[in-house]
Amino acid sequence: MIHLLLVALGGAVGAVLRHASNLAALRLIGPGFPAGTLFVNVAGSLAMGLFIGWLAKRAGGSANEMRLLVATGFLGGFTTFSAFSLDFATLWRDGAAGVAITYAAASVVLSLLAVFAGLWLMRVA
């Protein structure tokens, strides 16, 4: 039962921060590009790499609980490829195929680079 509570707590915090990031991006950049979702996917991927790298290097007996709280819960609630997919479909539907393709490519490439960067940073730290 404690494992479910850890995931739920982390997920709630992550989802709230994802929503706040989307609101901030909307105010700063406007509605023409889903920058909020791009930001959370890239930042969340970097955080995942850093966290899992750190966990592999330094964590002791509480590694499973920490992984459930942070990786499964918080980062699972914070990042969202389901929102990414909807943003892509909306851009495509609205006739912005070039923007949609750019958004998809940037999301995938930058998120993959970010997770590798986080893993590398934790290996060399």
Side-chain angles (χ1 to χ4, degrees), residues 8-72:
L9 175 63
V13 173
V16 167
L17 287 177
R18 180 182 71 225
H19 180 63
S21 296
N22 282 328
L23 290 177
L26 187 60
R27 283 189 205 110
L28 291 171
I29 298 167
F33 186 81
T37 303
L38 177 60
F39 168 76
V40 297
N41 283 336
V42 173
S45 293
L46 176 61
M48 184 69 82
L50 290 168
F51 177 71
I52 295 300
W54 175 83
L55 202 61
K57 194 173 187 178
R58 297 200 169 92
S62 63
N64 189 49
E65 285 78 13
M66 290 174 62
R67 182 186 57 76
L68 289 171
L69 176 68
V70 177
T72 304

Side-chain angles (χ1 to χ4, degrees), residues 44-108:
S45 293
L46 176 61
M48 184 69 82
L50 290 168
F51 177 71
I52 295 300
W54 175 83
L55 202 61
K57 194 173 187 178
R58 297 200 169 92
S62 63
N64 189 49
E65 285 78 13
M66 290 174 62
R67 182 186 57 76
L68 289 171
L69 176 68
V70 177
T72 304
F74 175 74
L75 293 173
F78 182 64
T79 63
T80 172
F81 265 79
S82 59
F84 154 80
S85 299
L86 180 60
D87 289 335
F88 179 90
T90 301
L91 288 167
W92 190 271
R93 180 202 64 208
D94 292 344
V99 174
I101 291 167
T102 299
Y103 172 62
S107 294
V108 172

